[in-house]
Amino acid sequence: MSDERWDQVFGYVERAVPDDGVTLVVGGAPEQARVLADRLAARFGAARVVRPAERFEVARVGDGDGLLLWASGGRGDRREDADVVVDVSDPAWPVIRHIDAALLDRDVWFGSESRAFFAARAATWDSRFGDDMPAYGRAVAEAGLAPGWTVVDLGCGTGRAFPGLREAVGDGVVIGVDHTPEMLDAARVRARECGASLVLGDARRLPFRDGGVAAVFAAGLLTHLPDPEGGLRELARVTAPGGRLVLFHPTGRAALAARHGHTLRPDEPLNEDVLRVTGGHAGWDLIGYDDRAHRFHAVLARRA
């Protein structure tokens, strides 16, 4: 599978940089950068590749110096001004984490690369993050869900929110939706225990009728969508008036950004002011917002 995965990654690189005269300049975590440089040389020719120790600080396509490809070791070492960031923490399973929007629209590559990222981690997800389950339960309990409601856990992963959702809605309906088949496979035991249905689906095009659900719970989802405001509109479409949208992460925004080597920007989708405006455009009212070191929790109500 390694060669096939590398072929998928480089297929997007070729689409982003159709000019075969552009130099490919490699930087990043030393071991991973060497792997990336070797793979690039084999695919595009050694003459096009500038290797890690030589000259990667100055490269930018816009400056005519080349394309800067940053090899991440998955430890928060992503360089934000790189043209392309490839996670090479597992050399057999590379995943694109960023392509400059001026080179290739995010909607083109993000879905397949997101599935690739989560597919490789599904089997061990709970062993890494299982301690978060009580936080999921508290997030659901504070969201104002009611017995009898139909609630969708969107981007459900391994179903860590299922127990809390079942407790909140009683004999209502719990549906887990995820874009990654391997995550749904990992969720099946918990789904059976909690009486939840599982659906393979895309958050941008949900298989539900207008106003068909009473609430949506989405952990770590919104920032993964190429068009967050469009995503909020789709969630509003399927949610009945008066329903709830719960946006949650068991780590606050600043702490999560620091973990991944980013800095928060004021225009990010989960910034309180931005979420209030974009949510309003999509038909939501922001009624609760809590962004502390140990969690992010926002609740929106669907307008009538």
Side-chain angles (χ1 to χ4, degrees), residues 203-292:
R204 299 167 296 174
R205 293 174 289 274
L206 290 168
F208 305 119
R209 62 179 175 83
D210 293 0
V213 307
V216 176
F217 180 89
L221 174 77
L222 194 65
T223 54
H224 283 286
L225 300 180
D227 175 12
E229 186 172 331
L232 288 169
R233 284 195 298 271
E234 175 65 357
L235 302 189
R237 179 189 69 79
V238 303
T239 304
R244 294 287 187 270
L245 169 60
V246 186
L247 302 176
F248 171 70
H249 198 282
T251 304
R253 293 169 59 239
L256 187 64
R259 180 190 302 171
H260 291 288
H262 306 166
T263 55
L264 288 178
R265 302 184 313 273
D267 62 345
E268 289 182 324
L270 294 179
N271 174 287
E272 183 173 6
D273 292 335
V274 173
L275 183 59
R276 191 181 305 278
V277 171
T278 57
H281 291 164
W284 299 99
D285 289 319
L286 182 62
I287 61 173
Y289 189 90
D290 182 14
D291 183 18
R292 290 177 282 172

Side-chain angles (χ1 to χ4, degrees), residues 129-182:
F129 303 113
D131 291 346
D132 292 337
M133 283 201 60
Y136 276 72
R138 289 190 293 272
V140 172
E142 297 171 21
L145 310 187
W149 278 13
T150 294
V151 60
V152 172
D153 183 359
L154 189 54
C156 66
T158 61
R160 286 179 291 171
F162 290 170
L165 292 172
R166 172 53 64 202
E167 183 176 354
V169 303
D171 60 358
V173 177
V174 177
I175 304 170
V177 178
D178 204 279
H179 205 203
T180 305
E182 291 82 357

Side-chain angles (χ1 to χ4, degrees), residues 4-147:
E4 181 181 342
R5 182 90 274 276
W6 278 104
D7 286 344
Q8 291 168 348
V9 166
F10 287 150
Y12 290 121
V13 172
E14 287 175 325
R15 293 180 68 176
V17 192
D19 181 359
D20 61 10
V22 172
T23 301
L24 306 175
V25 186
V26 182
E31 181 179 347
Q32 285 75 24
R34 283 192 292 274
V35 171
L36 180 58
D38 287 346
R39 287 282 184 168
L40 286 166
R43 177 68 172 255
F44 299 102
R48 288 187 64 188
V49 179
V50 176
R51 290 179 175 266
E54 298 175 36
R55 187 178 57 95
F56 60 80
E57 291 296 335
V58 298
R60 297 293 296 169
V61 167
D63 298 335
D65 284 327
L67 175 77
L68 176 57
L69 295 103
W70 195 259
S72 167
R75 296 182 296 274
D77 54 5
R78 167 175 161 177
R79 176 166 162 165
E80 293 192 37
D81 66 345
D83 297 294
V84 179
V85 176
V86 183
D87 184 337
V88 199
S89 53
D90 179 355
W93 195 267
V95 178
I96 291 175
R97 303 294 280 159
H98 168 76
I99 298 179
D100 190 299
L103 299 172
L104 189 66
D105 189 277
R106 193 170 187 246
D107 201 35
V108 172
W109 60 270
F110 188 80
S112 66
E113 292 303 290
S114 180
R115 284 194 300 273
F117 178 85
F118 288 109
R121 292 159 175 80
T124 59
W125 197 261
D126 278 349
S127 64
R128 296 178 62 195
F129 303 113
D131 291 346
D132 292 337
M133 283 201 60
Y136 276 72
R138 289 190 293 272
V140 172
E142 297 171 21
L145 310 187

